[in-house]
Amino acid sequence: MTRNKTLGRCGVALLSAAAAVSLAGCSNPVSALQQTFGTPSVAEARAKQAAAVSPQLSAPTIIKDGTLTVGLDTSASAPRCLTSHDGSMQGYDIDMACAVADELGLQVEFVSVSNASQALGQTCDVVMGASASSTGGVTVVGAYAEDAVGFFHKGSEQVAAKEDLVGKTIGVQDGSTSQQLLKRSDLEARQESFENLNDAFDALEQGIVDYVLCDAFSGAYLQAGYGDIAFCGSLNVPQSVGVGVAATNTELQSAVKAAVDKVTSDGVSDVVRSRWLGGLTPLGDASQVSGIEVSAGTVEGATSDTTEVEGAASGVQDGSTAGTNAADIAG
């Protein structure tokens, strides 16, 4: 088996379910680091904390003593999960999973999963990126991210008014979920389609389009490369994203929820968010552009939004809202 290239101070590898390599956690309290170093890196934010915590869980609550086995959807939108050409992994979900494992006093292993309910308790203990729409047998605990389709413009971060968007030119990736939702909206916008989100954001920067519509986290990840592009509201109500645990494993549910809550309250998640999303404000009900109506229907046959990520084998994908309907989106 080939070990993947390490990422930062804590090595992170994507492992097959059959053969996994464990990785030691490492952490440090964020407040102390901020006093010493200013804004800490993710590795610094996690550095002493894990070493000071004794393992809180063991088999059969977890599959392997001393290790939290984490399932990842490797097709998830960047920056949630990025795969480099050499197979190494990094991303928002990976950093958050490492921080949660640290809090539990456990090492971490990663496996690729395509069906959470089938994988939990069999090939992994938890699955990152779970939402209320997860299939049966999965309980979602904690909340560390949001899922939404968002508008981006040249300007500061804000929530646009519907009238700001009506009749404007909006860039989308051709064949994407975002494109289908925009077509069904009442914005009467002129669509400009692009092969990937990089091209759409370049067009926004050049003034070719007035807005770009895409997965909010993907857009926030890309906007960091531009000095004057920012989020300006979501098409739908943002949905919380948490950690999926087998519905029958109540002990693990409680432990993981406590760990996620601790990570999100002590500043570690803020460091992770800053690394991958820049200054994007956490999204909630107030982030939605009010009054937009979208005709009923499910999104079918849409491809994922992609972006060219340097050194990555797969790009940004926008498939998180494929089941969205009019009731979810109407303002």
Side-chain angles (χ1 to χ4, degrees), residues 77-301:
S77 302
R80 297 276 296 279
C81 187
L82 294 168
T83 308
S84 70
H85 289 296
D86 66 3
S88 60
M89 302 295 300
Q90 58 180 320
Y92 192 100
D93 282 359
I94 285 83
D95 283 350
M96 286 300 299
C98 289
V100 169
D102 285 348
E103 190 60 40
L104 295 171
L106 300 171
Q107 295 180 321
V108 62
E109 294 179 358
F110 292 95
V111 298
S112 178
V113 300
S114 57
N115 186 302
S117 60
Q118 293 179 7
L120 287 170
Q122 301 299 316
T123 61
C124 64
D125 301 309
V126 300
V127 172
M128 302 301 290
S131 66
S133 62
S134 297
T135 55
V138 180
T139 296
V140 182
V141 299
Y144 69 88
E146 309 89 52
D147 182 19
V149 172
F151 293 98
F152 290 82
H153 73 151
K154 290 186 71 172
S156 60
E157 183 176 327
Q158 59 182 271
V159 177
K162 179 181 178 180
E163 51 265 33
D164 297 331
L165 300 163
V166 172
K168 296 299 175 64
T169 301
I170 300 178
V172 290
Q173 183 185 324
D174 190 32
S176 68
T177 297
S178 300
Q179 182 184 51
Q180 291 200 21
L181 292 175
L182 184 58
K183 283 180 178 178
R184 288 169 27 215
S185 77
D186 64 348
L187 290 177
E188 299 179 354
R190 177 179 179 273
Q191 287 193 21
E192 187 76 27
S193 61
F194 298 88
E195 183 178 351
N196 55 55
L197 290 182
N198 302 73
D199 292 343
F201 271 70
D202 285 344
L204 178 59
E205 174 69 17
Q206 296 167 27
I208 297 172
V209 299
D210 301 306
Y211 297 89
V212 168
L213 180 66
C214 62
D215 174 82
F217 270 35
S218 299
Y221 175 65
L222 284 178
Q223 79 178 34
Y226 303 85
D228 55 354
I229 292 178
F231 174 81
C232 61
S234 64
L235 182 64
N236 57 334
V237 177
Q239 301 297 312
S240 293
V241 173
V243 182
V245 185
T248 56
N249 197 338
T250 55
E251 181 179 355
L252 185 57
Q253 291 170 28
S254 297
V256 171
K257 183 181 185 306
V260 174
D261 290 347
K262 181 66 162 55
V263 167
T264 54
S265 65
D266 67 6
V268 174
S269 66
D270 293 336
V271 178
V272 175
R273 192 177 185 96
S274 177
R275 177 187 183 188
W276 294 107
L277 305 178
L280 181 68
T281 302
L283 308 179
D285 291 354
S287 304
Q288 182 186 23
V289 178
S290 178
I292 299 177
E293 295 184 1
V294 177
S295 61
T298 58
V299 178
E300 297 179 355

